[in-house]
Amino acid sequence: NANGGFNGAEVELVMYDTQGSPEEAVKIAAKLVGSDHADAVIASVNSNEVFASGAFLNDAGVFTMGLGTSASWMAEDWPYVFRASVNNDRTVPGTVAMIAEVGIPTVGCFYGQDDAAVSTWKAFCTECEANGIEVVSSETYDPTDTDYSAQIANVLAKDPKSIYLSVSGDYGALFMKQLREQGFTGMIFAKECVMQSQIQVAGVQAANYVAFAYPYVTYSSIEECNIPIMREYLERYSEKYGELPQTDSAYRAWDTMMIMWEASKIAGANDSDSLKNAIETISDYEGLGGTFDFTKGDR
């Protein structure tokens, strides 16, 4: 807003808590469109919720950008729904390439029950098979679980030389911590970045030897960052909030808002159709997550 907003119109944020519920996300989407008359929507960081509400927002013709990373909802034919965060299907090959590069022949998997976790785990298993890496065992868990000793014992009984975690948030931290407590000392590979919030829960030692292929990483200090665009962002964030981001969601939201703003400047208008058409011309926008290209038609 200090730099002119969207073509002279100040941005007004209308925020709701989806409470981790796809059903609540659908209700909120209806409220944003029906009562709030939102010009654009930034949808949930939870892919299950984007999947549940995306069709409604698309059919309403509201320009929408989801923050989730699952490939599933981006495969839908929703021309008004875009993404400025990573697609997990595109990080899986990089993860498997790392496993192959260090010569690890077998892997055991843990995956959540949300859409991003399940779809990424399936893609990971397929990629491993194509590269001659054996997935010896896979276990899931209930979202209310905090003790994974039974699942871990089942997987470790197959003697995997590495572990893949297709889980999100503090689930990953708990798995790292409990895997190390049960004696697993091999490499752990994660579907997303190992965030500062997870390291605080797991402990630094448990988080050692955990690798991931992901365009974001969280920092414990500004001095650690040697990427100019990210360092500037961290300085802005620290000045405003008195701390650094503990999760990558803050990066996803920033890139999303900046892409929306860029589209509005290209369009010279703020309506959904103008934003939709303008974003499809963006090919070289430099964000925190890298270079953004929306010209390939995959949104």
Side-chain angles (χ1 to χ4, degrees):
N1 287 338
N3 288 281
F6 276 45
N7 296 301
E10 287 208 350
V11 177
E12 177 188 354
L13 289 179
V14 180
M15 296 183 285
Y16 295 100
D17 180 3
T18 58
Q19 301 174 42
S21 164
E23 294 77 17
E24 188 67 19
V26 172
K27 293 177 184 177
I28 289 172
K31 181 173 174 58
L32 284 167
V33 174
S35 301
D36 297 324
H37 306 294
D39 296 295
V41 170
I42 296 178
S44 175
V45 72
N46 184 322
S47 289
N48 276 356
E49 296 170 23
V50 184
F51 201 88
S53 58
F56 175 84
L57 292 166
N58 179 76
D59 292 347
V62 176
F63 181 84
T64 299
M65 297 195 74
L67 296 181
T69 59
S70 166
S72 300
W73 57 270
M74 283 304 295
E76 295 294 310
D77 184 20
W78 296 340
Y80 285 88
V81 181
F82 293 79
R83 161 186 279 159
S85 52
V86 71
N87 186 326
N88 280 342
D89 270 14
R90 299 186 180 184
T91 64
V92 164
T95 304
V96 174
M98 285 195 291
I99 296 173
E101 183 178 349
V102 293
I104 296 174
T106 58
V107 59
C109 297
F110 299 97
Y111 64 95
Q113 297 181 17
D114 59 283
D115 179 62
V118 173
S119 62
T120 306
W121 165 69
K122 289 180 178 178
F124 176 81
C125 292
T126 300
E127 189 73 14
C128 280
E129 183 178 6
N131 285 270
I133 298 166
E134 183 183 3
V135 177
V136 295
S137 182
S138 294
E139 291 279 336
T140 189
Y141 56 91
D142 188 275
T144 60
D145 290 347
T146 56
D147 180 359
Y148 310 116
S149 54
Q151 292 97 323
I152 290 172
N154 288 341
V155 169
L156 294 187
K158 300 292 185 179
D159 194 29
K161 301 309 179 187
S162 63
I163 296 293
Y164 181 66
L165 299 179
S166 187
V167 304
S168 301
D170 284 347
Y171 296 115
L174 293 173
F175 268 108
M176 285 185 275
K177 181 179 176 66
Q178 293 176 34
L179 276 162
R180 299 310 191 198
E181 287 174 347
Q182 290 202 38
F184 183 76
T185 58
M187 287 195 70
I188 298 172
F189 296 86
K191 80 174 176 70
E192 296 174 2
C193 69
V194 178
M195 302 174 288
Q196 290 298 320
S197 60
Q198 293 171 305
I199 294 171
Q200 291 173 8
V201 173
V204 173
Q205 293 305 313
N208 277 344
Y209 302 103
V210 182
F212 51 88
Y214 202 69
Y216 299 124
V217 61
T218 56
Y219 297 87
S220 59
S221 70
I222 295 175
E223 290 68 33
E224 284 183 329
C225 179
N226 61 1
I227 304 168
I229 188 173
M230 178 64 80
R231 185 164 179 139
E232 180 185 357
Y233 168 81
L234 294 175
E235 289 169 348
R236 286 171 178 257
Y237 191 100
S238 177
E239 182 179 353
K240 184 170 181 64
Y241 298 109
E243 61 181 3
L244 295 182
Q246 297 299 294
T247 78
D248 71 299
S249 297
Y251 303 154
R252 297 190 216 174
W254 175 267
D255 278 344
T256 296
M257 196 68 188
M258 293 299 103
I259 289 289
M260 290 171 65
W261 191 27
E262 182 71 8
S264 80
K265 289 186 281 188
I266 292 170
N270 302 330
D271 62 280
S272 286
D273 284 313
S274 295
L275 293 175
K276 178 177 79 69
N277 293 333
I279 195 174
E280 292 174 339
T281 70
I282 296 175
S283 63
D284 57 356
Y285 185 84
E286 294 297 329
L288 303 180
T291 304
F292 289 82
D293 183 356
F294 292 91
T295 63
K296 294 176 170 49
D298 56 6
R299 311 187 316 283

